[in-house]
Amino acid sequence: MTVSAPPRLLSLPPDADVLAWAASTLVQQHRAALPDLSHITLIVPAAAQIPRLRKLLLAQAGGALLGPAITTLGGFGRERSSRAALSALDCKLLLAQALQRHPDLFSGQDRWALADALFGLFEELSAATPELADDVGRFLGRIERGYGSARLAQISQEARAAHLLWQAYLHDTGRSSPAVAHLQALTTALATLAPDERVYLIGHDHFSGAEARILRDALARQSLTLWLQGPDSGRGRQTFAALLQTLAVAEPVVAFERDPAPDPRARILDGAFADDGLDLRQRAAAIDGTVPGLTLVIAGSPEHEARVVDLAVRRALLAGQRDIAVVTQDRRLARRLRALLERAGVPLQDEGGWALSTSAAAASLGHWLDCCEQDFPFRALLDLLKCSFFEGLDAVGIDLLEGQIYQQGIRGGLERMQALEHAPKPLLSGLRRAAKLLPARHAPAQPGQVWASHLIQSLQTLPLWAQWQTDTAGMALATTLLELEAALSRQGLRLHWSEFRSLLERTLEQATFTPQAAGSPVRLLTLEQAQGLRCERLIVAGASATQFPGRPSAEPVFNHGVRAELGLSHWRERLDIQLGRFRGLLHAAPEILFTCAPDNEGEPAQPCPWLELLQTLGIVQADDALARLATRPEAEIAHAQGALPEIAHRPCPQLPDALLPGKLSAGRHQSLIDCPYQFYAGSGLQLQAPREPDEPPDRRDFGSRVHLIMQAFETRQDGLPPPFAQPVTAENRAAAAHKLEELARAVFADDLRNRALARFWLREFLDFIPDITSWLAARSTTWPRAQTELRLKRALTPDLLLHGTADRVESRADGACCIVDFKSGEAPKGSDVASGEAVQATHYALSVEHCVQVEYFVISRKRKAPVIVEGAALQHAQNGVRARLLEIFSSRADGIALPANGNEKTCQYCDYAGLCRRGAWHE
């Protein structure tokens, strides 16, 4: 379309390349002034669009240009206003201070979370309907209409409190909060334009209420041109149409003149999103043609999706494409994608920045705070010393210190660590001096500036502060800490240490940094930043229902109906805006890949409703081949300098006779069956994984308590109540149950004082007591004698002794016995016991005389039936297990070959995964 005098209020549809059209039109309109376009200011929705618009202008002009200025709406006001705005942090501290003075206004809510929520609400109110700040009656009236009910006392009280705080907020900020300052700056900038200045807004689809009114007035003064872009028909047009109606009061809206023969993609997509009442079958019949280049990959998990996107990016680069855009709203997916691309040597240019709290620099700060708070717990200290920002101890010294900590079982405390024989005493003394710069965390509330300044001083005495200056995120972190100190100094808020740390963590979560990736061919954008996007290859990642458009979230203060009445953004409006932007994305590249994955493991993936519509209509095609390829080893990154030698066979280490154990426990016997290499490393080489001093509780801890209870029920144990001195029968089951409960409460007593999880463990066991007493009563006649935690040993050959401790060995008068193993988790299948794959009970059966039955009794909330193997099946299992052991150990003269043949379950819990080469064989 060629326009000599373009309209001042123009509406372009989603398929139009608004930046290319604007560049062509501007150069044509101002050709007489070329190359000087310094009198023109172009305002785009997001800074990500500025480089492309400038490039298009240079191409259209055919040479260098003087100007124009290209900025965003916020930047335009700031550049032309001398009035400084308060930072968002200052405003939130003022709100927190107000809430501290009036704790009854919103009682029971977290002060910092509430300050964040109120800051967002008051900024929106100030930008949309500032006139309501001085009219509480109209404010309350709109809220009542939004709730759709008569005046309710609670609603009125909370609304009055919110309005009172809003007025106080405007007063305390001096009407210089970011939103108010932006509106004032925008008003001043548009009102003070020079006579020959021209301002163009290009590609916007939404403004706040106050912004729309300011722009409408500027239109009336003939100082502004708006070329907007949004749905002109079909679904999602309501919000954009309302914006045009607001602006049209000052200038009539002109619709963009489409080409007589529109792009087939635009025609088909317009039909797909038409709002004409047709059902899906009728709509599919009405759409004539297909849209090539639109594909969808359904991934099996978030990790799989990240690998699909990574592979798609690398394939595009190998195909010679140098303008690749990834659009996503999912920041977790973005972080994983960044890591995968960095592994491939491909930097990712993120237009929005990364959360500072996710950086390695912020992690190092967290380690230091944990050290100061908890008297240097070993884990936080080692993490601090090993981080890339800490210097002063070499790797050998760290390994030596770590080994001593594990050997001595030291959970924390600098004094205990300094007493170690090989402790780096100068380093630890320096850490103590730095920690003492911080006041005691239990000190009374102090001005927040005190906490911030002392924290900065402690960091500056460590290598951290200096090393942060060499890192993009580190510099941003240091700047953020200084800004926090300055803001706390200005506001004078008094805080306890816990409140200060909470404030610090929230500040880091909301701060961002941009890694150095200038010139990267791969850009990462949000849906908002992608307005007006055109590229060679587009990947819309995380295109699930939770991300595009996302589910309606509960607003922290008012619901969506009230927000609509107050003129604030609400769900219906957000849905329209996102749909319009999504429709624009569908024209951004010749080839577009959409990906989505399940939100939770085991659930099906749910594509976003707009994508699902296109898939149903056959407009988007599935690409299963890419999904499969992303899981294959050949899709992985290889950085080989030359051809790697092929492995002729799988390594099969041999265990020399000198290292062959002369006795075999049930656990080591099972490891020999599960994976011979695991047996080689653990039983032969005697390698052991270190036990952490503060190893977190797990199901094994519950199992050990259960075994102790069942042992104490039969035989006296020190420190516990006496055992049940008689066989359990139907008549004394109640007494037996009482004894089991008494023992359980005694065994779990220490855990209940130290572990919240112990309450659930105790309840689980108490709930199972009826099952235990029924089981014991049923056995009292069949197996009248029982021994618990019985140590067994028997020589299988002169050189091999089987040994172990059986949970329970029952016997009868004829000498036959039954071995019982208590399981608090999963028990092996009877078929695995009979076939010799699960050998624990069979190992015990080989260690005693006349074992005719083995049983696994499961004590768990899942209430699974006991697993019993007896008679001929047990005899067959014993014979097979004995023969296999004899065959393995008979080859000792030549060295026993022990390959890594573990299955996936065995490998998942193996302590020797870092030594094993099984993964290399599969790659």
Side-chain angles (χ1 to χ4, degrees):
M1 171 181 169
T2 302
V3 180
S4 56
R8 298 183 52 250
L9 182 53
L10 178 66
S11 167
L12 291 94
D15 60 288
D17 187 348
V18 61
L19 297 185
W21 179 86
S24 173
T25 302
L26 286 166
V27 170
Q28 207 169 46
Q29 183 182 1
H30 298 281
R31 187 167 296 279
L34 293 178
D36 185 4
L37 298 182
S38 57
H39 62 292
I40 296 174
T41 298
L42 308 180
I43 300 176
V44 292
Q49 299 146 356
I50 294 176
R52 179 170 181 256
L53 180 55
R54 188 171 298 283
K55 183 177 180 179
L56 289 168
L57 285 168
L58 290 171
Q60 288 289 335
L65 288 174
L66 179 62
I70 309 178
T71 185
T72 60
L73 197 60
F76 174 68
R78 286 193 301 270
E79 292 162 5
R80 293 170 175 257
S81 174
S82 59
R83 183 173 181 176
L86 279 179
S87 69
L89 179 58
D90 277 292
C91 296
K92 292 175 184 178
L93 292 177
L94 285 169
L95 281 169
Q97 205 164 21
L99 293 169
Q100 191 177 53
R101 293 194 303 265
H102 304 285
D104 297 333
L105 285 180
F106 293 93
S107 59
Q109 298 193 44
D110 178 76
R111 180 156 53 113
W112 298 112
L114 187 57
D116 280 345
L118 290 176
F119 169 73
L121 174 66
F122 295 161
E123 288 293 277
E124 282 192 278
L125 285 169
S126 301
T129 51
E131 67 278 2
L132 294 181
D134 300 320
D135 194 336
V136 67
R138 288 178 61 199
F139 182 81
L140 294 176
R142 293 196 182 188
I143 288 176
E144 289 174 4
R145 287 199 302 273
Y147 281 117
S149 62
R151 182 184 297 273
L152 299 176
Q154 185 177 3
I155 292 175
S156 178
Q157 181 180 359
E158 291 183 356
R160 286 181 181 276
H163 191 269
L164 179 65
L165 278 174
W166 183 22
Q167 288 182 317
Y169 172 78
L170 292 173
H171 177 269
D172 291 346
T173 59
R175 295 187 178 268
S176 295
S177 70
V180 177
H182 163 65
L183 294 176
Q184 291 174 341
L186 181 61
T187 302
T188 301
L190 290 172
T192 57
L193 291 173
D196 64 335
E197 280 191 273
R198 295 291 179 267
V199 176
Y200 297 84
L201 272 73
I202 302 171
H204 294 74
D205 61 4
H206 178 68
F207 302 108
S208 70
E211 285 176 338
R213 290 190 289 273
I214 293 170
L215 296 175
R216 182 188 62 198
D217 294 342
L219 272 171
R221 294 195 301 270
Q222 306 292 312
S223 58
L224 186 66
T225 297
L226 275 74
W227 294 333
L228 309 181
Q229 184 172 34
D232 55 354
S233 63
R235 302 181 188 183
R237 70 182 184 280
Q238 291 87 350
T239 298
F240 188 64
L243 172 63
L244 295 177
Q245 186 176 2
T246 299
L247 297 170
V249 174
E251 189 81 13
V253 181
V254 176
F256 183 75
E257 294 181 13
R258 290 177 181 259
D259 293 332
D263 176 21
R265 180 181 291 193
R267 176 176 52 78
I268 292 172
L269 291 174
D270 282 347
F273 289 106
D275 191 12
D276 50 15
L278 299 178
D279 60 27
L280 285 178
R281 182 174 298 181
Q282 294 168 327
R283 189 174 307 284
I287 293 176
D288 180 22
T290 60
V291 179
L294 302 184
T295 55
L296 168 65
V297 170
I298 302 291
S301 67
E303 173 64 19
H304 183 202
E305 182 179 19
R307 289 180 176 274
V308 167
V309 180
D310 164 57
L311 178 58
V313 168
R314 290 189 282 118
R315 291 177 76 179
L317 290 171
L318 291 173
Q321 296 174 339
R322 289 297 176 265
D323 185 8
I324 304 164
V326 179
V327 175
T328 186
Q329 306 285 82
D330 189 340
R331 296 307 298 180
R332 288 188 303 174
L333 174 60
R335 286 198 297 270
R336 184 61 183 134
L337 175 62
R338 177 188 176 190
L340 289 171
L341 289 176
E342 283 183 347
R343 186 180 67 176
V346 179
L348 182 62
Q349 183 177 338
D350 187 352
E351 300 291 350
W354 298 86
L356 190 54
S357 59
T358 64
S359 67
S364 66
L365 172 61
H367 300 326
W368 174 240
L369 293 174
D370 290 341
C371 286
C372 295
E373 282 185 355
Q374 304 168 38
D375 190 19
F376 292 86
F378 85 98
R379 192 185 306 278
L381 175 62
L382 292 175
D383 287 341
L384 177 68
L385 298 180
K386 291 179 181 179
C387 79
S388 59
F389 300 104
F390 201 95
E391 294 182 347
L393 188 64
D394 59 21
V396 174
I398 293 176
D399 290 342
L400 187 61
L401 175 62
E402 183 174 8
Q404 292 182 93
I405 288 173
Y406 278 101
Q407 290 169 8
Q408 300 296 325
I410 298 176
R411 295 190 177 188
L414 276 184
E415 290 185 2
R416 295 187 65 192
M417 295 182 190
Q418 286 178 312
L420 294 171
E421 180 181 359
H422 300 291
K425 293 179 174 57
L427 174 67
L428 298 179
S429 298
L431 293 174
R432 177 179 291 280
R433 288 192 298 272
K436 284 184 175 180
L437 292 174
L438 278 171
R441 65 181 187 278
H442 300 302
Q446 302 189 48
Q449 179 198 5
V450 173
W451 294 115
S453 60
H454 281 84
L455 173 60
I456 292 173
Q457 290 174 30
S458 73
L459 291 167
Q460 289 174 337
T461 64
L462 298 172
L464 288 178
W465 192 270
Q467 289 299 311
W468 285 349
Q469 310 309 313
T470 64
D471 177 73
T472 304
M475 289 189 290
L477 177 58
T479 301
T480 300
L481 289 173
L482 293 171
E483 290 174 349
L484 177 61
E485 179 191 26
L488 288 167
S489 175
R490 289 191 293 268
Q491 306 309 330
L493 187 64
R494 298 184 68 85
L495 303 169
H496 292 283
W497 167 256
S498 60
E499 294 177 305
F500 170 76
R501 179 153 189 191
S502 177
L503 170 63
L504 174 60
E505 289 174 348
R506 297 183 77 89
T507 302
L508 297 184
E509 288 171 2
Q510 295 162 3
T512 59
F513 74 99
T514 303
Q516 299 294 335
S520 170
V522 186
R523 291 178 290 159
L524 180 68
L525 307 104
T526 64
L527 190 58
E528 180 181 8
Q529 294 165 342
Q531 295 177 76
L533 174 68
R534 289 296 185 274
C535 57
E536 292 180 272
R537 182 80 161 116
L538 172 63
I539 303 168
V540 183
S544 65
T546 55
Q547 300 292 338
F548 290 95
R551 297 188 177 99
S553 58
E555 294 292 341
V557 182
F558 296 127
N559 65 25
H560 290 284
V562 174
R563 292 178 63 84
E565 286 291 339
L566 291 173
L568 308 179
S569 63
H570 53 90
W571 174 244
R572 178 71 254 178
E573 180 182 273
R574 294 173 198 167
L575 188 65
D576 282 352
I577 293 171
Q578 288 205 63
L579 175 53
R581 293 172 182 173
F582 183 84
R583 289 181 61 178
L585 273 185
L586 296 172
H587 304 277
E591 293 185 356
I592 304 175
L593 171 67
F594 299 91
T595 70
C596 70
D599 294 324
N600 299 300
E601 187 176 353
E603 296 180 355
Q606 293 183 332
C608 80
W610 311 320
L611 185 57
E612 193 171 32
L613 169 67
L614 299 180
Q615 188 182 19
T616 303
L617 295 174
I619 296 173
V620 172
Q621 304 298 321
D623 186 355
D624 297 331
L626 182 61
R628 290 192 299 270
L629 183 58
T631 64
R632 296 182 61 82
E634 53 263 39
E636 296 287 339
I637 292 295
H639 291 293
Q641 299 300 318
L644 293 176
E646 293 187 3
I647 300 176
H649 57 84
R650 294 186 175 188
C652 191
Q654 291 188 335
L655 188 62
D657 182 59
L659 296 180
L660 191 66
K663 57 182 182 178
L664 193 65
S665 67
R668 291 188 171 184
H669 189 172
Q670 186 64 58
S671 74
L672 177 62
I673 304 304
D674 289 338
C675 178
Y677 183 87
Q678 189 181 83
F679 178 84
Y680 166 78
S683 301
L685 301 184
Q686 298 291 312
L687 301 178
Q688 293 183 0
R691 292 295 298 261
E692 297 182 0
D694 64 346
E695 194 169 67
D698 59 19
R699 193 67 182 175
R700 290 173 297 181
D701 295 311
F702 173 69
S704 68
R705 302 328 184 248
V706 169
H707 283 74
L708 179 57
I709 294 168
M710 299 305 295
Q711 183 182 12
F713 184 79
E714 300 286 350
T715 57
R716 178 174 291 278
Q717 301 296 314
D718 293 340
L720 293 178
F724 195 65
Q726 52 190 309
V728 180
T729 64
E731 291 74 19
N732 65 11
R733 276 186 59 191
H738 178 76
K739 175 57 68 175
L740 284 169
E741 180 175 351
E742 180 186 14
L743 289 167
R745 294 190 182 279
V747 168
F748 282 111
D750 287 340
D751 293 313
L752 290 170
R753 286 189 289 268
N754 301 309
R755 294 175 173 175
L757 186 61
R759 296 199 305 272
F760 300 97
W761 288 348
L762 176 60
R763 174 48 53 196
E764 181 177 350
F765 185 83
L766 294 180
D767 289 345
F768 203 81
I769 284 178
D771 300 72
I772 297 175
T773 55
S774 296
W775 179 77
L776 289 171
R779 311 181 71 78
S780 60
T781 56
T782 308
W783 304 101
R785 295 182 59 239
Q787 295 173 280
T788 58
E789 299 299 317
L790 184 64
R791 294 184 178 179
L792 308 173
K793 60 180 179 180
R794 188 180 185 188
L796 187 66
T797 70
D799 298 317
L800 181 60
L801 178 72
L802 301 184
H803 72 100
T805 302
D807 294 343
R808 182 181 177 95
V809 179
E810 302 171 326
S811 59
R812 61 192 185 206
D814 63 359
C817 69
C818 171
I819 292 176
V820 178
D821 193 73
F822 296 119
K823 290 294 184 185
S824 58
E826 293 292 331
K829 298 178 182 178
S831 58
D832 288 340
V833 177
S835 65
E837 288 303 307
V839 299
Q840 182 181 16
T842 314
H843 178 95
Y844 294 143
L846 288 172
S847 304
V848 297
E849 295 284 351
H850 307 304
C851 182
V852 298
Q853 179 179 317
V854 295
E855 177 174 342
Y856 290 96
F857 184 65
V858 182
I859 300 177
S860 168
R861 67 174 69 91
K862 295 181 180 180
R863 282 178 163 73
K864 293 187 176 181
V867 176
I868 300 174
V869 180
E870 57 187 341
L874 178 60
Q875 187 62 46
H876 177 76
Q878 291 186 75
N879 292 338
V881 169
R882 181 189 296 109
R884 180 159 50 181
L885 277 179
L886 292 174
E887 180 182 356
I888 292 173
F889 280 79
S890 66
S891 61
R892 59 189 304 165
D894 300 324
I896 297 178
L898 299 170
N901 290 334
N903 56 35
E904 291 185 5
K905 186 175 181 180
T906 300
C907 294
Q908 186 176 359
Y909 300 103
C910 182
D911 291 331
Y912 310 105
L915 305 176
C916 179
R917 301 299 298 162
R918 181 175 182 269
W921 304 334
H922 288 276
E923 291 175 5

